[in-house]
Amino acid sequence: MTENDAWRLFRGDRTPRRAVLPPAPPWRQFGPPGDADGGRRRERPYLIGRAQADVVSAALHLRRPLLVTGHPGTGKSSLAHAIAHELSLGPVLQWPVNSRSVLKEALYDYDAIGRLRETHLRQEHAGPEPDIGTYIRLGPLGTALVPREVPRVLLVDELDKGDVDLPNDLLMVFEEGEFEIPELSRLPEDRSEVEVLLHGTDSGRVRVTRGLVRCREFPVVVITSNGERDFPPAFLRRCVRLALPEPDEQQLRRIVAAHLGEDALPGMDDLLHTFINERAHGELATDQLLNAVFLRKGGVDLDAQGLLLAVLHRLGGTV
């Protein structure tokens, strides 16, 4: 094997060897569970123009959801993390929307079967009835609406993939800043206060009175859309809209330098021009360029047959 072939970790020759993997890209490094945000995400550089940043500030002043549109890879989802990081608002609460998503899953989940099973077990042993709060966990939107002095950031990712009625379902919750948990509101008066679980890695519980969760400060809501569906006018009227443009050549250079360092810029002109040319004929994401530059910087021969096209593959069409 020549020195130029050292980057080939997998050779397809069925010969066992002990692999020594090189360091991962900065955006693919994960911290231990004790890190901030559950160790799932290390904060990345985020570059945004003054005009776009001003739109974000307007949404913060108005306490309105920020509807972010743009091609895949323009940084729509990352914007929510950038806002949370810069304003010290804690880990981002995330709700990835798909065609089966309904509003209730974002608000709370009630494990009725688990509670019924536990009730039968305790009755058999003459034990007390289980606490209903143990079987109710707030979803990302429900946790975002918990009253607190400092708002949380909620990312509603790819809302256009959801059911056509989902934006209107969200509208009432966004307008009122509250929602009801019927399973708790029907309890007797002497059980009007119940502590329920929070979403995901959020530790502890929150006390809910008469089944009503009402925010004190409206959360910072970032809604992303790939433009696959039009939203109702009533929904759009209550959002502040931000369209993220595709970065030009100079912006791409700044993005590469921010993520991989200034020393990654020399010798990347051919990759940059190939990326821009391919992007003109179909959708490409900026992180695909970062992947290519990272591989080139690590000694990978991107001129090897098909490798560059595998990294800079178009995002649209059939696979």
Side-chain angles (χ1 to χ4, degrees):
M1 182 181 65
T2 67
E3 184 178 347
N4 291 336
D5 289 333
W7 64 271
R8 288 187 165 91
L9 301 173
F10 174 75
R11 299 166 203 160
D13 58 9
R14 302 187 66 191
T15 302
R17 62 182 63 85
R18 186 174 297 277
V20 179
L21 296 177
W27 52 90
R28 293 298 299 167
Q29 295 177 6
F30 302 88
D35 279 5
D37 204 5
R40 292 173 299 170
R41 178 187 176 92
R42 292 184 181 275
E43 197 53 44
R44 312 171 193 170
Y46 190 84
L47 303 183
I48 187 171
R50 172 63 65 87
Q52 288 79 34
D54 287 347
V55 176
V56 175
S57 293
L60 295 172
H61 279 281
L62 294 171
R63 306 300 201 274
R64 288 291 189 182
L66 181 69
L67 176 58
V68 187
T69 59
H71 292 303
T74 51
K76 299 186 298 295
S77 301
S78 298
L79 178 57
H81 295 274
I83 295 171
H85 174 72
E86 188 169 323
L87 302 184
S88 301
L89 298 180
V92 173
L93 297 163
Q94 303 185 61
W95 183 31
V97 176
N98 57 53
S99 60
R100 300 179 301 278
S101 296
V102 293
L103 178 62
K104 183 178 177 295
E105 75 179 36
L107 295 175
Y108 75 98
D109 175 68
Y110 173 46
D111 184 7
I113 295 177
R115 185 184 178 216
L116 181 63
R117 184 185 300 113
E118 182 67 18
T119 299
H120 287 326
L121 289 174
R122 295 197 181 192
Q123 287 176 345
E124 291 176 0
H125 298 85
E129 182 180 345
D131 178 18
I132 187 175
T134 305
Y135 302 93
I136 293 179
R137 183 181 294 275
L138 299 183
L141 175 54
T143 299
L145 292 173
V146 167
R148 49 174 59 90
E149 296 297 330
V150 179
R152 293 289 297 275
V153 177
L154 170 68
L155 172 61
V156 182
D157 208 10
E158 298 190 331
L159 180 60
D160 49 338
K161 292 189 180 299
D163 184 80
V164 66
D165 292 325
L166 188 56
N168 281 331
D169 293 340
L170 281 168
L171 199 57
M172 183 63 69
V173 177
F174 285 161
E175 280 298 283
E176 302 298 329
E178 65 180 34
F179 70 97
E180 183 185 60
I181 303 176
E183 291 84 356
L184 300 184
S185 62
R186 293 194 293 260
L187 293 175
E189 188 66 33
D190 61 346
R191 300 171 61 190
S192 61
E193 292 189 347
V194 177
E195 289 189 343
V196 301
L197 302 170
L198 294 170
H199 171 71
T201 59
D202 284 41
S203 60
R205 299 181 175 219
V206 63
R207 181 171 297 177
V208 177
T209 303
R210 302 305 309 163
L212 185 66
V213 178
R214 176 185 294 153
C215 68
R216 184 176 300 130
E217 279 284 344
F218 188 73
V220 179
V221 180
V222 178
I223 304 171
T224 71
S225 169
N226 290 326
E228 297 179 5
R229 173 183 298 161
D230 292 331
F231 295 123
F235 178 81
L236 294 176
R237 181 168 61 86
R238 291 167 171 85
C239 295
V240 176
R241 301 181 67 176
L242 172 63
L244 292 180
E246 290 184 329
D248 59 22
E249 181 174 340
Q250 291 305 315
Q251 290 171 319
L252 288 171
R253 291 183 184 275
R254 289 196 292 268
I255 291 171
V256 170
H259 284 268
L260 296 173
E262 294 286 344
D263 61 334
L265 293 176
M268 66 158 278
D269 286 357
D270 61 323
L271 295 179
L272 180 61
H273 295 152
T274 300
F275 174 82
I276 293 175
N277 182 63
E278 290 294 320
R279 192 177 67 179
H281 298 90
E283 288 185 355
L284 291 181
T286 304
D287 58 356
Q288 291 175 279
L289 174 62
L290 290 173
N291 290 337
V293 176
F294 177 81
L295 290 175
R296 168 73 61 80
K297 186 179 178 183
V300 174
D301 180 15
L302 286 174
D303 294 328
Q305 185 177 9
L307 184 53
L308 184 58
L309 291 179
V311 177
L312 297 183
H313 61 86
R314 296 177 187 173
L315 304 180
T318 57
V319 177

